[in-house]
Amino acid sequence: MGSGFQLFHTVPGGGRRGRLNLPHGTVETPVFMPVGTAATVKAVDQRTLETLGESAAGAQIILANTYHLYLRPGHELIRRLGGVHRFMSWDRPMLTDSGGFQVFSLSQLRTITPEGVEFRSHLDGSKHFFSPEHSMGVQIALGADILMAFDECVEHPASYERTRDSLGLTHAWAERSVRYFAEHKHEVPWFEARDGQTQRLFGIVQGGMYPDLRRESAARLVEMDLPGYAIGGLAVGEPREVTRDMIARTLEWLPQDKPRYVMGVGYPDEIEEYARMGVDMMDCVLPTRSGRHGLVFARLDGELTRLNLKKLEFAEDRRPIDPACTCPVCRRYTRAYLRHLFSSGEPLAASLLSIHNLSFYLDTMERVRRDLAGTGLPQESESSQATSTPAA
Ligand SMILES: [Zn+2]
């Protein structure tokens, strides 16, 4: 099966303009993916999601969290209702994470064995067990376009020895994820393979902040010849230069003809920088989480700025959040009104601020895609890039 990825242009800095063909549609890359934790991008409805951004093209692909949906409402219920797409009425591409990150960051009393992880739910303390096979089973039932291999996320900072040992587990779990996925991916009869595109599984490069471990991790996963690769375990509290360095190095070790996805980053200037380095996909809760806390992004006098709308200085400010932003919030409402909504605890505040922030992120990526398309050198052969070839 091909990776469904076409590369159109690559610029000298590494940035690439591409297209990912998925069962629920095509995704123009580089792309930012809003996070829809519990089958909802918090405070933003699906119709709005479909129309966000300068071109009103909306979010091309969103994320859903396996751990959250497994606990509530349960993946078997979602399977019976025809998958997350039908459940939430979203007909565009979707990616589910493996649940690993949440198991390690949210749940209590974890016991990790080579078999998997036993943990207690952060909701009610009930006991659960996640293995690579179980994570795959849940993700297949959820029915996303892209699934992620189950990995161990080490805490930060972690010693070299701890990170190396964890990597052994992550690679063994990736192999088990691949095997289980290959054997069971056809178990959701309602999943339509449109244009020959089916559910696909990406691997996750780990290795903490140690370049040689990252290199080894990339090499092991590339051997598995997966249709895409994520760089995980970053933006966990390390300095930004380290994040950037780890991304730059890891990109070198990943195949050019496969999509590369950096998980859980970042600020608007970071997603722009990483996209220009050759990262094709990114996701982050920042636009929505910041919005719910009264924080909004703007480009004022050419500078990326984060405004805290809670501040008194905005009480009589008649300007929109960002005068250059074309989102429905900036076209209609003043900072003064948004501040009032927020300080009064009105639910509309979370919604409007999230809509602006998401628009800001999507516009940033749209601008990067335009730049990459305009300045890049044509790829020597598009058709050869669209098929998956065994990695050298
Ligand atoms: Zn706006």
Side-chain angles (χ1 to χ4, degrees):
M1 187 193 73
S3 67
F5 185 58
Q6 293 167 272
L7 259 187
F8 300 132
H9 292 90
T10 302
V11 301
R16 306 121 62 85
R17 175 73 181 82
R19 179 176 297 152
L20 188 55
N21 299 300
L22 294 167
H24 287 87
T26 56
V27 173
E28 304 297 329
T29 63
V31 66
F32 177 77
M33 309 184 284
V35 179
T37 307
T40 165
V41 175
K42 285 190 197 301
V44 183
D45 75 299
Q46 279 70 311
R47 188 177 175 280
T48 305
L49 275 179
E50 286 164 358
T51 54
L52 285 177
E54 211 176 319
S55 63
Q60 305 184 69
I61 172 172
I62 61 172
L63 246 77
N65 285 123
T66 296
Y67 169 88
H68 291 285
L69 292 174
Y70 158 78
L71 288 178
R72 190 173 59 192
H75 63 292
E76 289 301 347
L77 181 145
I78 291 180
R79 186 208 298 270
R80 289 193 295 277
L81 294 177
V84 184
H85 279 97
R86 205 167 290 177
F87 182 49
M88 69 178 285
S89 185
W90 176 258
D91 200 32
R92 296 184 180 188
M94 179 184 300
L95 181 150
T96 43
D97 64 1
S98 70
F101 183 77
Q102 279 77 22
V103 166
F104 290 98
S105 62
L106 284 180
S107 67
Q108 292 144 8
L109 301 168
R110 299 177 301 268
T111 314
I112 304 164
T113 62
E115 190 47 38
V117 192
E118 189 181 84
F119 62 96
R120 283 187 185 278
S121 159
H122 74 291
L123 296 174
D124 60 7
S126 54
K127 203 185 264 187
H128 302 270
F129 181 76
F130 256 42
S131 64
E133 291 79 11
H134 184 64
S135 168
M136 287 302 111
V138 174
Q139 292 187 71
I140 289 168
L142 296 177
D145 298 78
I146 299 173
L147 290 70
M148 301 303 299
F150 191 65
D151 58 340
E152 190 193 11
C153 305
V154 289
E155 63 288 348
H156 175 78
S159 72
Y160 185 86
E161 290 67 30
R162 161 88 179 98
T163 309
R164 188 192 53 205
D165 292 348
S166 162
L167 211 52
L169 204 54
T170 284
H171 295 155
W173 286 359
E175 275 168 9
R176 282 165 54 190
S177 297
V178 171
R179 205 175 313 132
Y180 189 91
F181 178 68
E183 288 165 7
H184 298 267
K185 63 182 170 183
H186 302 300
E187 287 177 3
V188 278
W190 38 259
F191 194 90
E192 298 165 36
R194 291 183 213 174
D195 302 328
Q197 306 295 336
T198 56
Q199 278 188 305
R200 65 196 61 162
L201 172 66
F202 282 17
I204 307 177
V205 176
Q206 291 287 351
M209 307 305 153
Y210 303 101
D212 65 317
L213 295 182
R214 288 263 166 203
R215 180 171 202 159
E216 184 195 326
S217 184
R220 286 291 302 279
L221 288 164
V222 170
E223 277 171 22
M224 298 180 205
D225 190 25
L226 299 168
Y229 297 95
I231 304 176
L234 294 176
V236 289
E238 77 280 8
R240 201 154 152 172
E241 312 81 74
V242 177
T243 317
R244 190 190 181 286
D245 182 46
M246 288 300 135
I247 293 172
R249 289 169 185 262
T250 309
L251 287 177
E252 294 287 313
W253 303 319
L254 292 175
Q256 290 288 327
D257 61 345
K258 304 284 179 74
R260 293 104 62 108
Y261 160 32
V262 176
M263 309 177 84
V265 293
Y267 284 95
D269 51 335
E270 289 175 294
I271 62 163
E272 174 165 358
E273 183 181 15
Y274 303 151
R276 292 185 189 281
M277 286 161 56
V279 174
D280 305 300
M281 307 160 68
M282 283 169 276
D283 76 282
C284 195
V285 294
L286 257 180
T288 41
R289 182 174 291 167
S290 301
R292 295 197 303 282
H293 289 90
L295 303 168
V296 288
F297 297 99
R299 203 168 302 280
L300 304 175
D301 302 322
E303 288 287 312
L304 175 68
T305 312
R306 196 172 62 165
L307 305 177
N308 182 348
L309 285 184
K310 292 188 284 283
K311 287 189 175 168
L312 187 61
E313 64 182 273
F314 299 116
E316 295 192 42
D317 194 330
R318 295 165 195 239
R319 290 172 292 176
I321 296 170
D322 182 336
C325 179
T326 59
C327 87
V329 180
C330 290
R331 277 205 305 258
R332 185 154 191 173
Y333 305 110
T334 63
R335 293 175 183 175
Y337 179 64
L338 295 169
R339 178 183 185 276
H340 158 71
L341 289 182
F342 189 83
S343 23
S344 313
E346 288 291 338
L348 185 59
S351 178
L352 296 181
L353 302 188
S354 297
I355 289 171
H356 163 78
N357 279 343
L358 283 173
S359 301
F360 192 84
Y361 270 66
L362 296 179
D363 288 350
T364 298
M365 232 25 136
E366 212 167 292
R367 178 163 48 81
V368 173
R369 284 199 299 272
R370 267 198 311 269
D371 288 356
L372 291 175
T375 59
L377 308 165
Q379 215 66 31
E380 68 275 4
S381 164
E382 258 174 43
S383 55
S384 74
Q385 299 291 336
T387 54
S388 165
T389 48

